[in-house]
Amino acid sequence: MLRPTESKIIFLQQLGRGLRNSPDTHKEKLVVLDFIGNHVSFFKKPEALFKVGVTAKDRKAFIDSIREDTLDLPPGCFVNYDLESIDFMAKLVGSNSDKQLEIYQNLKISLDRRPSLAEFYRVGGSAETIRNNYGQWFAFLKDENDLQEKEIDSFSSYESFLRDLETTNLNKSFKLVLLETFIELDGFVTPPTTEELATKSFEVLQRRRILQADLPDEYRSVADMPASLLQSWHKYWIRNPINAWIGGNTSATVPHFQVIDSVFFFKQTPSELLTDTLALMVQELIDFRFRQYESRLEQQTSAALVPTLGKTAIEIPFFTDLKVACGHFRESPHESSNIQYRPLPMKYGSLDPATHFIAQASGNSMDGGDRPIRDGDFLLFEILPTNISKQAGPATEISEPNQKEVLLSDLTTVVAEDRSHLGHQFLVRDVKKGQGGQFTLVARGPSYPEIQLTPEIALIASFKGIVAPLELHLHQVFMRADIPPLFGLEFNKSIWETGHVCSKDINDQILLVTLNKQGKNRKRAISRLLHR
């Protein structure tokens, strides 16, 4: 069989020609020599012949049955696979699946809990590979024994809905917005009217500004829905996501929702015991799909604005509203909505979004030594292992008495959190081993007393270096007047209205590219900083 094909049907047709009876030759046997290519598509043939499933788990079981000579065949039949082919099949099946499992397990250890799908996706996990191997995300979690009892019950009862939500085609974001609104309105318990859905959905859209591009022009410039537009917006929302979820404009075989007397119902009404659990599982998938969709929008924007940015860098969290105190413990509450993700150059080494993050320094008590930290500096941190961050007290709290001392001795500058207070109080200081083997937190300013480590003080992260402000802003979009402060310069309209700025006060040359030259927006041009 020399004709390559990825079709099971064509493969069986080819095989069928050899299986035809021949009265003229009275043949009793058929020998098939099949030449495979270096592509996973050759699995189509065992899938067709031996009913092998399409997941990596099924394919691994098939490979094991070949190696162990336990393949179930009809009497008088046998199959010989070249040993090299078997090894090649195992390599194809195992590589992607094993890598994703490793990413998941490392992230789970880092977070000290099972990750959400959005978190897994953010650190480079492939939801598509998980689906290819396990069918869907929650099936993977079940296989990993990472689902609680109610989650297992919800998954068993609503598996089809959860799978469709994870894979539904998104031309726009509206189907996700509708479901997030449905969850916020507690729709599994009290189904909302379509008008309530439409009104609340518009509020949800206002929270996610990047999705404004999906709206028609008449609604895009509206922050609060006026009464004059409410009726038309209601009709528009019915025609789009509501219609999609009740079976229109979708490839789903069975719709999961229905509208009765203008009320939007989930067709499989969950039991009271599973309502909250199902809502959390649905929200987890919504968060992932939003992140996936927003990444697509960002990539489209980047592709349109910049011809090439080279190799894609790993993005790590930047806590824009978190101020790490230098001096005394200081409370700095921060919201997850203020977390941005920024790529850093290769000079910062190999970075992992699950363990590295950026926050800003507040205060000058660490302004000294070989690596001074000044007020306003952007600091790169690496989250410490659990056996340090959770064990800041006596060494007897961990299994090996000297283990914590060895780990602490390797640290220089750390972020500590005082957990004796209700709020989040952080501090960055140097670690010092004093008399009697006691460790203390030391500021570089003489006016700040040392702080002895106690069980109430948790060491969160180690200081890795200072990030140059401009490197946080590479490939970002700015208003023209916002660019000079990044270089320590003042905005001067006559200078910054040109396309090329070369100030004598800095060694950088700045090229300004206007992204929108249409009409009134021309004077308010958004400019991209290209920094070399």
Side-chain angles (χ1 to χ4, degrees):
M1 301 185 73
L2 294 174
R3 178 186 175 187
T5 178
E6 296 186 13
S7 169
K8 296 179 187 177
I9 295 176
I10 293 177
F11 170 72
L12 290 176
Q13 287 176 340
Q14 294 173 348
L15 181 62
R17 293 191 181 100
L19 288 170
R20 290 173 182 164
N21 292 325
S22 176
D24 295 335
T25 62
H26 303 289
K27 66 178 181 181
E28 298 178 352
K29 297 179 181 179
L30 171 68
V31 177
V32 181
L33 302 180
D34 185 21
F35 297 86
I36 64 174
N38 291 348
H39 194 275
V40 74
S41 63
F42 71 76
F43 273 111
K44 300 290 184 183
K45 299 169 183 180
E47 286 170 13
L49 291 173
F50 309 113
K51 296 183 179 179
V52 178
V54 297
T55 69
K57 189 175 182 181
D58 295 330
R59 290 169 173 173
K60 282 184 176 179
F62 169 70
I63 294 170
D64 290 341
S65 65
I66 295 175
R67 284 174 167 163
E68 297 165 6
D69 196 23
T70 58
L71 198 62
D72 187 17
L73 295 171
C77 296
F78 67 90
V79 173
N80 286 338
Y81 272 99
D82 184 89
L83 291 177
E84 187 176 351
S85 299
I86 297 174
D87 292 339
F88 180 69
M89 282 193 287
K91 184 178 179 181
L92 266 181
V93 172
S95 57
N96 287 335
S97 176
D98 294 344
K99 180 180 179 181
Q100 299 308 311
L101 184 58
E102 181 181 359
I103 291 173
Y104 173 82
Q105 291 174 341
N106 288 340
L107 183 57
K108 180 180 175 181
I109 293 171
S110 173
L111 297 175
D112 200 22
R113 58 172 172 80
R114 77 102 166 150
S116 69
L117 180 51
E119 291 168 332
F120 175 73
Y121 173 75
R122 168 59 74 181
V123 300
S126 170
E128 182 179 3
T129 301
I130 293 295
R131 283 196 297 274
N132 290 339
N133 296 337
Y134 297 90
Q136 57 179 296
W137 171 249
F138 288 112
F140 165 70
L141 295 181
K142 183 179 178 181
D143 193 75
E144 287 294 302
N145 296 317
D146 277 345
L147 288 183
Q148 299 176 2
E149 184 177 349
K150 288 185 178 180
E151 290 175 323
I152 294 174
D153 292 341
S154 294
F155 174 62
S156 299
S157 300
Y158 312 108
E159 179 178 353
S160 175
F161 170 55
L162 295 171
R163 181 180 59 250
D164 286 349
L165 174 55
E166 187 178 335
T167 61
T168 185
N169 184 47
L170 297 176
N171 294 322
K172 291 183 180 293
S173 60
F174 296 158
K175 284 193 283 187
L176 301 180
V177 173
L178 176 68
L179 283 191
E180 182 160 271
T181 304
F182 182 80
I183 296 296
E184 290 189 12
L185 293 175
D186 202 12
F188 288 125
V189 176
T190 307
T193 65
T194 56
E195 186 172 350
E196 289 172 333
L197 269 179
T199 303
K200 184 67 176 178
S201 293
F202 191 80
E203 295 177 11
V204 172
L205 275 164
Q206 299 310 303
R207 297 201 303 258
R208 297 181 179 271
R209 301 301 298 176
I210 194 173
L211 305 180
Q212 298 293 301
D214 287 348
L215 290 170
D217 292 339
E218 62 265 35
Y219 306 114
R220 194 175 302 168
S221 59
V222 178
D224 297 312
M225 180 64 67
S228 58
L229 287 177
L230 184 57
Q231 185 176 0
S232 64
W233 169 252
H234 180 207
K235 292 180 179 178
Y236 178 81
W237 209 239
I238 289 176
R239 291 195 306 269
N240 288 277
I242 291 177
N243 181 46
W245 278 119
I246 64 175
N249 303 327
T250 179
S251 59
T253 54
V254 179
H256 301 288
F257 295 86
Q258 60 185 345
V259 173
I260 302 176
D261 295 331
S262 299
V263 177
F264 189 75
F265 289 90
F266 183 58
K267 296 177 72 173
Q268 294 177 270
T269 304
S271 67
E272 186 176 346
L273 290 175
L274 297 181
T275 299
D276 292 341
T277 302
L278 176 61
L280 290 173
M281 294 172 75
V282 170
Q283 186 63 57
E284 178 173 347
L285 295 181
I286 291 172
D287 291 341
F288 158 65
R289 295 307 307 274
F290 265 133
R291 182 58 226 162
Q292 190 182 45
Y293 184 78
E294 289 168 358
S295 294
R296 190 175 79 193
L297 292 182
E298 292 166 359
Q299 290 170 4
Q300 290 172 349
T301 302
S302 298
L305 299 178
V306 184
T308 176
L309 296 178
K311 183 178 180 180
T312 302
I314 297 295
E315 296 179 335
I316 63 172
F318 171 31
F319 296 89
T320 59
D321 58 348
L322 176 61
K323 306 297 181 184
V324 180
C326 298
H328 300 292
F329 278 108
R330 186 182 305 162
E331 186 171 354
S332 181
H334 63 95
E335 301 293 336
S336 59
S337 59
N338 293 320
I339 300 175
Q340 300 178 5
Y341 285 80
R342 299 291 174 82
L344 291 182
M346 293 300 295
K347 71 178 185 180
Y348 291 98
S350 178
L351 300 177
D352 183 350
T355 57
H356 292 88
F357 67 93
I358 303 167
Q360 199 167 13
S362 175
N364 286 306
S365 72
M366 299 296 289
D367 187 0
D370 296 334
R371 296 197 298 175
I373 299 174
R374 300 181 176 90
D375 183 50
D377 281 349
F378 297 99
L379 311 181
L380 175 64
F381 296 105
E382 181 176 9
I383 296 174
L384 290 171
T386 304
N387 53 1
I388 297 182
S389 63
K390 287 196 170 183
Q391 308 291 349
T396 54
E397 292 183 9
I398 56 178
S399 57
E400 299 179 21
N402 295 325
Q403 182 184 6
K404 186 181 66 129
E405 182 174 335
V406 172
L407 293 170
L408 287 173
S409 299
D410 291 336
L411 299 176
T412 52
T413 307
V414 298
V415 174
E417 180 182 7
D418 186 354
R419 293 183 173 173
S420 62
H421 298 272
L422 294 177
H424 296 286
Q425 297 198 1
F426 300 102
L427 176 72
V428 59
R429 280 197 177 189
D430 294 333
V431 177
K432 176 184 175 182
K433 185 177 181 181
Q435 294 181 351
Q438 295 293 324
F439 287 92
T440 57
L441 299 177
V442 182
R444 297 173 191 170
S447 59
Y448 297 92
E450 296 183 4
I451 300 175
Q452 185 172 332
L453 285 182
T454 66
E456 288 76 26
I457 297 178
L459 302 186
I460 304 299
S462 62
F463 170 64
K464 308 304 291 183
I466 295 175
V467 178
L470 286 177
E471 290 172 336
L472 282 177
H473 300 299
L474 287 175
H475 315 309
Q476 304 299 310
V477 176
F478 299 90
M479 296 299 292
R480 190 183 297 269
D482 294 333
I483 298 176
L486 300 176
F487 295 87
L489 303 173
E490 294 184 1
F491 177 71
N492 184 302
K493 187 173 182 180
S494 61
I495 296 176
W496 290 87
E497 284 293 329
T498 62
H500 178 205
V501 177
C502 183
S503 174
K504 62 181 180 180
D505 298 322
I506 59 174
N507 294 324
D508 300 287
Q509 298 189 38
I510 302 160
L511 302 178
L512 302 177
V513 180
T514 301
L515 304 181
N516 188 346
K517 298 185 178 181
Q518 302 300 317
K520 297 179 181 179
N521 290 329
R522 184 166 187 171
K523 292 183 179 180
R524 300 176 61 249
I526 299 175
S527 302
R528 175 172 293 276
L529 170 65
L530 301 178
H531 171 58
R532 179 176 295 177

